[in-house]
Amino acid sequence: MSKALPKRSENYSEWYNEIVKRADLAENSAVRGCMVIKPYGFAIWEKMQRALDDMFKATGHQNAYFPLFVPKSFLEKEEEHAEGFAKECAVVTHYRLKSDGSGGLEVDPNAKLEEELIVRPTSETVIWNAYKGWIQSWRDLPILVNQWCNVVRWEMRTRLFLRTAEFLWQEGHTAHATEEEAVSETHQMLGVYAEFAEDWMSMPVVQGIKTPSERFAGAVETFCIEAMMQDGKALQAGTSHFLGQNFARSFDVQFVNKENQLEYAWATSWGLSTRMMGALVMAHSDDNGLVLPPKLAPIQVVIIPIYRSPEDLATISEKIGPIIGELKAQGIAVKYDDSDNQRSGWKFAEYELRGVPVRLGIGMRDLENGTVEVARRDTLTKESRAVDFEKPEEFVLGIKLLLDEIQENIYNKALRFREDNTFLVDTWDEFKEQIEKGGFLMAHWDGTAETEAKIKEETKATIRCIPLISDEMAGKCVYSGKDSPKRVLFARAY
RNA sequence: CGGGGCGUAGCACAGCCUGGUAGUGCGCACGGUUUGGGACCGUGAGGCCGCAAGUUCGAAUCUUGCCGCCCCGACCA
């Protein structure tokens, strides 16, 4: 195995694949299109889950679990929804195998299911089928439920984390008595996603509305957060849908309102997936490997002893005991790597590859001088810091502040990158030229699906969203020259 | 589903054209010298050469079929 990663600037997609594998996040499995998430990668996902789950709970949601299998008849009920997902469904047709007589197994033709089961690509239908039994009165509302699970979408072409046939996610499904409340829920959860992306992943996002062509199948309105990757492409990082009464109608979920009239319930759904792992890699990492925001790093501080003899190691291990204790007391995830099968230089490179935000190097010289070498992953700089090995509180406080600083620094770096690569574009020639260079293009659009499709056909750029926050004035469509109320965000996307 | 590439040790690959003892590097095990940015020396273990059929005295190598994976496109989060 070669030591150096492919260069980000030379082959971005190979660079991405190599980081995912070499940083031990995930690998391709024997099953086509499905990945194995390795312990280190899963530890990051668990941190994401924890952060999001806490935010869901804080906004009044509860977790539940619904079946993996969706009867075909359920999926059929909402027409647009059915049409949207039909092309990518895995279908269970039998419930038994039998011996084929030569040591193998074959599907038992006598065990055909009366009704095929779809492996869920999303759970609106099963959940709304269940909600029918939960909702009678306005007093039963709202229902604010989330589930953490896997889903299957049979993709033609897959990439680790970014697009896999099976992936992990959370899907929130809420039911409300009024349209206003459901709309407000949709916005609230979009806000939660944006906050998660920015505060935890240090990844700035644009919040916006999807155009009808990019809308979730069955939704009235789809909201999204879009992030810019380091190659200038956009990545949809989370979606929140206002479903109107579409699913309530399809599954006949009516309730009695305060005026004693029957009314269909209002719905939302929102999801965020392991795709975020891919976003995390592509937002911050460099040619030395992964760069993790401290808040999501499974190991926030790694301590590497530098020694010659076992006696030196024993001395160092004893001396740094209080530092490790104080780091843990401050809630910092610390790893002391005293393994003797690799040398310190190897460990430096390895923890850099894995994106550990802060590395402490301690050798005999440090013990004499009362110092520790502090290296930060985001800037690849290092400095010698004074420490009282007996009373390390002050030193550890400094490390804690450093972690905060790194969290903020990589956010600012990503934000600056996005700003430097976001362009106001007013002519079609400019558009065509700039899209080749990458980045976000803010341009006027006449609001028609025809223009949107033409632009996609000619440039592969899609409207990522109509940004919610915008002080743009009206103008003329960059393609058709017709009137446009405001600029929309164009980009090539993952 | 089209176009390209690849299946040989845990990993990365050579060998195949021109059939004849299965190799190299990394990793692994043991021993020694080392240790402030991916150490070195020695010894050793590890292979149904993707699967199947065929040609041949003999197949990793030639022929046919199958399977799988990766990359690039169309579809999608």
Side-chain angles (χ1 to χ4, degrees):
Chain A
M1 195 198 300
S2 65
K3 281 175 196 165
L5 282 167
K7 296 261 177 282
R8 202 174 19 169
S9 54
E10 287 169 11
N11 191 337
Y12 193 83
S13 73
E14 199 189 335
W15 166 82
Y16 171 82
N17 290 337
E18 284 297 308
I19 287 196
V20 169
K21 286 180 204 156
R22 305 246 305 258
D24 230 13
L25 302 181
E27 62 188 25
N28 285 301
S29 74
V31 185
R32 187 174 75 104
C34 298
M35 65 179 161
V36 174
I37 303 176
K38 298 186 77 178
Y40 189 64
F42 203 80
I44 298 171
W45 176 240
E46 284 178 315
K47 287 209 158 194
M48 290 186 177
Q49 284 185 298
R50 167 60 73 89
L52 283 164
D53 205 61
D54 285 349
M55 287 189 243
F56 297 158
K57 302 279 169 60
T59 43
H61 302 83
Q62 291 180 298
N63 286 328
Y65 188 78
F66 296 86
L68 169 67
F69 299 119
V70 182
K72 197 179 76 181
S73 58
F74 284 20
L75 202 68
E76 286 165 349
K77 287 194 177 179
E78 215 289 337
E79 203 178 335
E80 279 188 23
H81 186 72
E83 210 174 295
F85 283 102
K87 301 183 297 294
E88 49 189 14
C89 286
V91 185
V92 180
T93 56
H94 292 76
Y95 58 86
R96 192 166 58 212
L97 299 172
K98 62 172 191 175
S99 167
D100 67 357
S102 54
L105 292 170
E106 64 183 14
V107 172
D108 185 342
N110 296 321
K112 198 168 189 310
L113 290 171
E114 275 179 40
E115 179 179 359
E116 290 96 341
L117 296 173
I118 315 299
V119 181
R120 64 179 163 221
T122 180
S123 301
E124 275 75 7
T125 58
V126 225
I127 288 179
W128 276 85
N129 180 71
Y131 282 180
K132 182 176 165 57
W134 297 9
I135 298 169
Q136 278 90 45
S137 152
W138 66 275
R139 293 178 193 276
D140 296 324
L141 297 169
I143 293 175
L144 304 173
V145 162
N146 174 67
Q147 85 166 335
W148 289 96
C149 66
N150 58 340
V151 289
V152 168
R153 296 181 188 176
W154 212 262
E155 298 291 347
M156 290 299 186
R157 198 177 149 206
T158 58
R159 289 191 74 187
L160 292 172
F161 290 119
L162 297 174
R163 178 162 296 111
T164 46
E166 178 191 15
F167 58 89
L168 307 184
W169 77 344
Q170 57 67 218
E171 46 180 327
H173 295 272
T174 68
H176 306 264
T178 66
E179 177 174 18
E180 299 71 49
E181 196 181 298
V183 167
S184 147
E185 166 79 3
T186 311
H187 279 102
Q188 174 183 241
M189 298 323 287
L190 184 74
V192 164
Y193 287 159
E195 185 185 335
F196 170 74
E198 301 191 337
D199 288 1
W200 289 79
M201 296 181 64
S202 289
M203 184 175 77
V205 292
V206 176
Q207 301 181 47
I209 306 172
K210 285 290 186 191
T211 62
S213 74
E214 299 268 330
R215 197 179 280 156
F216 176 76
V220 172
E221 200 81 272
T222 287
F223 296 83
C224 63
I225 53 172
E226 294 282 332
M228 184 187 287
M229 303 295 99
Q230 291 185 78
D231 59 353
K233 284 169 82 172
L235 186 133
Q236 184 181 115
T239 48
S240 182
H241 315 290
F242 170 60
L243 303 173
Q245 294 171 307
N246 292 349
F247 286 89
R249 278 205 193 86
S250 302
F251 288 87
D252 191 32
V253 183
Q254 298 189 77
F255 66 96
V256 178
N257 66 20
K258 289 180 190 174
E259 284 75 43
N260 196 30
Q261 293 164 325
L262 273 181
E263 195 177 338
Y264 288 110
W266 298 84
T268 81
S269 69
W270 25 276
L272 185 149
S273 74
T274 38
R275 192 176 216 212
M276 278 307 225
M277 294 287 294
L280 191 63
V281 173
M282 290 198 291
H284 305 304
S285 302
D286 61 23
D287 287 349
N288 290 316
L290 201 57
V291 174
L292 290 173
K295 283 183 173 183
L296 293 177
I299 302 167
Q300 295 170 303
V301 174
V302 64
I303 303 176
I304 296 174
I306 296 148
Y307 59 95
R308 285 165 209 272
S309 64
E311 293 74 32
D312 287 354
L313 175 60
T315 308
I316 293 166
S317 296
E318 193 201 327
K319 275 286 200 177
I320 62 159
I323 295 182
I324 294 171
E326 180 63 15
L327 283 165
K328 285 182 178 165
Q330 292 298 317
I332 295 169
V334 57
K335 175 174 177 176
Y336 175 49
D337 189 349
D338 61 350
S339 61
D340 61 356
N341 50 344
Q342 297 298 163
R343 299 165 22 127
S344 54
W346 189 91
K347 292 177 187 174
F348 292 172
E350 184 65 14
Y351 289 104
E352 260 163 32
L353 179 61
R354 288 168 169 257
V356 175
V358 172
R359 181 185 76 234
L360 306 181
I362 301 176
M364 296 304 284
R365 236 188 282 153
D366 291 301
L367 294 188
E368 284 163 28
N369 301 338
T371 57
V372 169
E373 184 187 82
V374 179
R376 52 189 283 186
R377 178 64 184 87
D378 59 334
T379 56
L380 290 170
T381 53
K382 52 189 179 184
E383 59 180 6
S384 204
R385 287 198 184 187
V387 59
D388 181 340
F389 286 102
E390 313 292 321
K391 292 187 165 51
E393 288 79 5
E394 199 181 325
F395 171 78
V396 167
L397 182 64
I399 296 300
K400 209 177 172 185
L401 292 173
L402 178 60
L403 288 170
D404 293 343
E405 190 186 325
I406 292 171
Q407 183 83 28
E408 201 181 322
N409 180 53
I410 62 177
Y411 174 84
N412 288 333
K413 200 173 155 191
L415 181 61
R416 209 176 316 123
F417 181 84
R418 190 185 78 189
E419 284 170 351
D420 289 347
N421 289 283
T422 299
F423 309 96
L424 294 185
V425 171
D426 289 313
T427 71
W428 184 234
D429 283 342
E430 248 182 288
F431 191 105
K432 283 188 291 189
E433 193 187 328
Q434 187 55 242
I435 199 69
E436 293 302 324
K437 296 179 196 157
F440 286 180
L441 276 54
M442 301 300 300
H444 282 286
W445 166 56
D446 62 20
T448 67
E450 293 73 41
T451 298
E452 187 183 14
K454 288 274 191 203
I455 292 176
K456 182 177 179 183
E457 201 182 306
E458 290 183 36
T459 65
K460 290 179 192 161
T462 49
I463 299 177
R464 300 319 303 153
C465 68
I466 303 159
L468 293 183
I469 299 167
S470 141
D471 48 16
E472 270 303 323
M473 302 290 108
K476 300 289 182 193
C477 175
V478 73
Y479 188 83
S480 68
K482 292 180 193 158
D483 287 341
S484 153
K486 64 190 278 197
R487 289 177 192 270
V488 301
L489 168 52
F490 284 93
R492 287 185 182 156
Y494 277 98

